[in-house]
Amino acid sequence: MSMIEIVREEMRKCDAKTLRSVRLNIGQMAAIVPDSLSFCFEVITKGTEMEGARLMMDVIPLKGYCNTCESEFEIKDYVFACPSCGDTNIKTISGQDLAIVEIEVD
Ligand SMILES: [Zn+2]
């Protein structure tokens, strides 16, 4: 789980002793269930300097951009077509990744 590695690296950089919280953006398409991530996090961090940290998660909706009519829209029910012009020539612009937004340490 590379997320843990990133947090650990950040803690090392600022010479932190304990981790208070981590805020994450979870893309709707990242195929991550917040509840199971939260459970995983607890298991992985047990007995480490990260134990007991609060995991805060925001789910980022999947957004698309239409290359044909240049509009931005939310992709619902995994319908990858532009709601304005119906074209499928679109690209996703958010909601695909897992990202660490901020960490709070002592
Ligand atoms: Zn369009």
Side-chain angles (χ1 to χ4, degrees):
M1 213 171 160
S2 60
M3 181 194 102
I4 298 289
E5 293 306 317
I6 295 166
V7 173
R8 184 168 286 150
E9 183 59 35
E10 286 301 315
M11 287 181 74
R12 199 175 304 140
K13 263 190 231 162
C14 48
D15 202 23
K17 307 253 179 316
T18 45
L19 180 66
R20 284 177 159 276
S21 65
V22 182
R23 182 179 285 278
L24 299 172
N25 274 352
I26 298 175
Q28 211 176 27
M29 272 283 278
I32 290 164
V33 181
D35 277 353
S36 63
L37 180 65
S38 167
F39 177 75
C40 269
F41 184 79
E42 239 173 74
V43 172
I44 293 170
T45 58
K46 204 166 171 61
T48 73
E49 70 276 33
M50 292 180 240
E51 185 173 4
R54 213 148 63 88
L55 202 55
M56 292 175 288
M57 294 166 279
D58 296 311
V59 176
I60 305 302
L62 189 59
K63 281 206 174 135
Y65 173 83
C66 176
N67 291 313
T68 306
C69 70
E70 301 182 337
S71 62
E72 282 180 21
F73 50 91
E74 199 173 321
I75 298 171
K76 292 201 176 88
D77 303 321
Y78 303 102
V79 176
F80 291 89
C82 173
S84 310
C85 70
D87 209 305
T88 52
N89 183 18
I90 63 169
K91 62 180 178 193
T92 50
I93 52 175
S94 76
Q96 289 182 295
D97 309 308
L98 174 75
I100 296 171
V101 183
E102 60 175 24
I103 67 171
E104 199 189 335
V105 295
D106 274 338

